[in-house]
């Protein structure tokens, strides 16, 4: 390939301001504490206004439900898992970086200066941002080993499988009794 051919291939990338490949990844954005939902709404509004849905795909404020008991009453409250942070799935270009970085309430990306660092697949799964679909080759009657969670190290017999929910019911023997336990596909390994 000649120098002019290489320039022709690379020039559209420079014009577009592409940083890295065209793969959408999850990035952590630091915000003022208490402004997470407002930042999420502002980013989504600007993405729609500027037609950048192909570069900024999703904005998430990770939350979890907590049960609080006050005066004998149970209430379910949604709590932010990471106060002061918003997670954004995006393809980083100069334009997309600028839009997110200059959103009101954003103090910056987690990373080095103007170079955000994407989350690893393990971090994404652990944070519960994105469910990874697992194809588990088991059937009722098979034996599996639990590799994470409360029952780590136990072995049990598969009773039921729910591929839509990515869970299975496993009969585990504890204290001399068989106990059915519901586990996620990612919590078990097959024995073969």
């Amino acid at each position: 390939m000649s120098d002019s051919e290489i320039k022709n291939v690379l020039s559209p990338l420079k014009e577009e301001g592409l940083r890295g490949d065209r793969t959408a990844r999850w990035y952590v954005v630091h915000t003022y504490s208490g402004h997470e939902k407002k930042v999420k709404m502002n980013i989504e509004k600007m993405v729609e206004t500027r037609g950048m849905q192909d570069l900024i795909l999703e904005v998430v404020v990770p939350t979890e439900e907590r049960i609080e008991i006050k005066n004998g009453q149970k209430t379910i409250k949604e709590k932010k898992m990471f106060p002061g942070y918003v997670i954004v799935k995006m393809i980083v270009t100069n334009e997309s970086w600028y839009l997110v970085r200059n959103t009101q309430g954003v103090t910056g990306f987690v990373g080095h200066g103007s170079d955000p660092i994407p989350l690893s697949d393990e971090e994404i799964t652990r944070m519960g941002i994105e469910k990874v679909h697992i194809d588990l080759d088991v059937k009722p009657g098979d034996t599996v080993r639990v590799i994470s969670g409360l029952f780590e190290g136990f072995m049990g017999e598969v009773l039921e499988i729910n591929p839509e929910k990515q869970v299975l019911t496993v009969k585990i023997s504890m204290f001399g009794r068989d106990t059915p336990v519901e586990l996620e596909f990612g919590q078990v390994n097959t024995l073969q």
Side-chain angles (χ1 to χ4, degrees):
M1 204 177 229
S2 71
D3 286 344
S4 63
E5 289 174 317
I6 292 172
K7 285 181 184 174
N8 288 338
V9 170
L10 294 178
S11 62
L13 297 179
K14 282 187 178 175
E15 288 170 21
E16 191 178 323
L18 187 65
R19 299 176 177 202
D21 59 10
R22 288 207 52 91
T23 305
R25 292 193 170 89
W26 288 98
Y27 296 89
V28 179
V29 177
H30 192 264
T31 68
Y32 294 126
S33 191
H35 291 217
E36 301 86 357
K37 288 186 179 180
K38 184 85 170 148
V39 165
K40 175 184 177 354
M41 286 177 9
N42 287 341
I43 291 172
E44 289 172 343
K45 188 188 302 180
M46 285 194 298
V47 164
E48 191 168 322
T49 303
R50 295 183 184 186
M52 294 176 59
Q53 294 89 340
D54 59 329
L55 294 176
I56 300 174
L57 308 174
E58 197 173 344
V59 183
V60 175
V61 178
T63 58
E64 62 184 352
E65 289 182 349
R66 293 228 175 125
I67 297 172
E68 291 184 0
I69 301 173
K70 285 187 181 178
N71 301 328
Q73 297 285 345
K74 282 186 184 180
T75 57
I76 297 175
K77 295 235 177 172
E78 197 171 74
K79 296 276 188 182
K80 293 178 196 121
M81 292 171 64
F82 310 106
Y85 294 95
V86 171
I87 317 298
V88 181
K89 187 172 189 175
M90 63 188 282
I91 297 169
V92 178
T93 65
N94 289 339
E95 187 181 11
S96 65
W97 178 88
Y98 186 84
L99 182 141
V100 173
R101 177 63 186 90
N102 291 295
T103 299
Q104 187 175 358
V106 171
T107 60
F109 281 92
V110 172
H112 306 292
S114 64
D115 191 23
I117 298 173
L119 293 171
S120 68
D121 290 341
E122 182 182 312
E123 290 168 324
I124 293 164
T125 304
R126 197 174 41 215
M127 292 168 71
I129 297 171
E130 202 171 66
K131 289 285 186 187
V132 177
H133 183 79
I134 299 171
D135 288 325
L136 191 62
D137 186 22
V138 295
K139 59 188 179 308
D142 287 354
T143 302
V144 294
R145 177 183 303 280
V146 182
I147 57 171
S148 69
L150 292 174
F151 302 102
E152 184 175 347
F154 281 89
M155 291 177 37
E157 179 186 340
V158 176
L159 299 175
E160 293 178 37
I161 303 166
N162 186 334
E164 292 82 33
K165 290 186 178 180
Q166 295 273 291
V167 295
L168 64 157
T169 305
V170 177
K171 180 173 61 175
I172 294 178
S173 181
M174 295 185 325
F175 310 117
R177 292 177 47 185
D178 287 339
T179 307
V181 176
E182 188 173 89
L183 300 167
E184 294 179 5
F185 282 9
Q187 291 183 282
V188 299
N189 266 351
T190 58
L191 299 177
Q192 293 176 356

